[in-house]
Amino acid sequence: GAGVSQTPSNKVTEKGKYVELRCDPISGHTALYWYRQSLGQGPEFLIYFQGTGAADDSGLPNDRFFAVRPEGSVSTLKIQRTERGDSAVYLCASSQTGFTEAFFGQGTRLTVV
Amino acid sequence: DQQVKQNSPSLSVQEGRISILNCDYTNSMFDYFLWYKKYPAEGPTFLISISSIKDKNEDGRFTVFLNKSAKHLSLHIVPSQPGDSAVYFCAASAENFNKFYFGSGTKLNVKP
C-alpha cells in the first residue's frame, strides 16, 4: 500500500485478556518500529525490527509484550494479560533502511477496561 | 530520563506571522533530528529533518535550525497558516541507536 497501515484502529479489551495489534509497513521498507503514545506525551520506543529480526527490544516494558515480524514485512505486537496501564495509542512506523525518516501509521487506540 | 525536551506545551500565533517551536536535547551523541506534525486521530507525519553536519535546512515555509553547542533546535514556519494547527514533535537519533527519541510535543494554534 501507499502508507503504513495499522489494524484495528480501535480496540477495547477487558483487563487480563490477550490482544494482537497488526502493522503493514510500506512495501520495501526493511526497518519497522513500534512506539506507544500516552496522552500528553511523545511516542515512546518499544521495539525495532531490521528485516525479520528484532534488532532492539529494549523498550518493551515487560515480558507481557512481544512482537514478531516473521517474513520481514507485516508485524504483530502481542500483549498478554492486559492491564489498565497498557491503555495508549500504539504506533507503528517503517523506514527504508533504519537511519532515515520513519513513516507512521494512524495508530491503534487500545483501551483496557 | 527525557533526552529530548519540548518545554512549551502550546503556542498560539496569528495567521501570516512566524511560528517558532523549540526543542532541547541532552545526548551529545545525537546526530540526526526530525520534526513531525500530528493531527488528532492520525499518526505523526514527517515534516523535515536535519543532520548534525548542517545548521540549517529549509523546505518551503519550514526551516529547521540546529545549534549543536547549545543542544538546541528550532522549527520556523513562515508564514503560518490555520492548516498548520497541530501538535509538533521533535525527535532525535544517531546511526547506531536503532530508535528515535521524541519530545512531548508542542500544540500549535494558528488563528485566522
Side-chain angles (χ1 to χ4, degrees):
Chain A
V4 179
S5 176
Q6 291 186 247
T7 53
S9 54
N10 279 284
K11 176 72 177 177
V12 180
T13 191
E14 291 181 349
K15 179 175 176 295
K17 298 286 189 185
Y18 168 83
V19 296
E20 289 190 353
L21 311 179
R22 177 189 167 104
C23 173
D24 275 276
I26 293 172
S27 178
H29 280 192
T30 60
L32 185 145
Y33 306 83
W34 284 98
Y35 282 81
R36 177 168 72 173
Q37 186 173 17
S38 301
L39 197 62
Q41 302 296 319
E44 177 189 20
F45 171 78
L46 294 176
I47 187 169
Y48 162 65
F49 287 90
Q50 182 58 251
T52 60
D56 186 341
D57 64 358
S58 62
L60 295 178
N62 52 60
D63 60 8
R64 295 186 298 105
F65 289 75
F66 190 69
V68 295
R69 194 186 186 199
E71 296 176 359
S73 177
V74 170
S75 177
T76 305
L77 178 66
K78 308 179 182 197
I79 311 174
Q80 298 178 320
R81 305 182 305 279
T82 51
E83 299 177 356
R84 292 198 180 89
D86 299 335
S87 297
V89 175
Y90 289 81
L91 294 163
C92 175
S94 70
S95 69
Q96 214 157 22
T97 61
F99 191 57
T100 56
E101 61 269 19
F103 297 88
F104 282 83
Q106 83 282 10
T108 293
R109 180 174 295 279
L110 175 67
T111 305
V112 182
V113 298
Chain B
D1 177 25
Q2 194 88 15
Q3 298 193 48
V4 178
K5 297 178 183 179
Q6 293 177 258
N7 292 319
S8 298
S10 64
L11 175 68
S12 190
V13 169
Q14 202 68 38
E15 180 179 7
R17 307 295 286 268
I18 184 171
S19 295
I20 300 176
L21 298 107
N22 293 302
C23 179
D24 297 290
Y25 61 96
T26 57
N27 193 331
S28 57
M29 298 288 288
F30 289 148
D31 57 12
Y32 184 56
F33 306 89
L34 310 91
W35 284 94
Y36 283 84
K37 178 170 74 173
K38 187 182 183 302
Y39 294 119
E42 294 184 12
T45 303
F46 170 72
L47 200 54
I48 192 168
S49 64
I50 188 166
S51 161
S52 61
I53 61 172
K54 294 184 173 182
D55 54 18
K56 176 183 173 181
N57 189 25
E58 192 172 349
D59 183 1
R61 298 185 296 114
F62 302 90
T63 303
V64 55
F65 294 92
L66 176 62
N67 182 334
K68 289 185 289 292
S69 60
K71 294 193 181 70
H72 176 85
L73 65 156
S74 60
L75 175 68
H76 292 210
I77 308 174
V78 182
S80 301
Q81 299 173 354
D84 296 329
S85 297
V87 178
Y88 289 78
F89 293 97
C90 70
S93 188
E95 189 160 358
N96 59 344
F97 274 24
N98 298 326
K99 68 191 77 165
F100 297 93
Y101 292 85
F102 283 82
S104 54
T106 297
K107 185 174 185 179
L108 174 65
N109 179 33
V110 181
K111 297 177 286 189

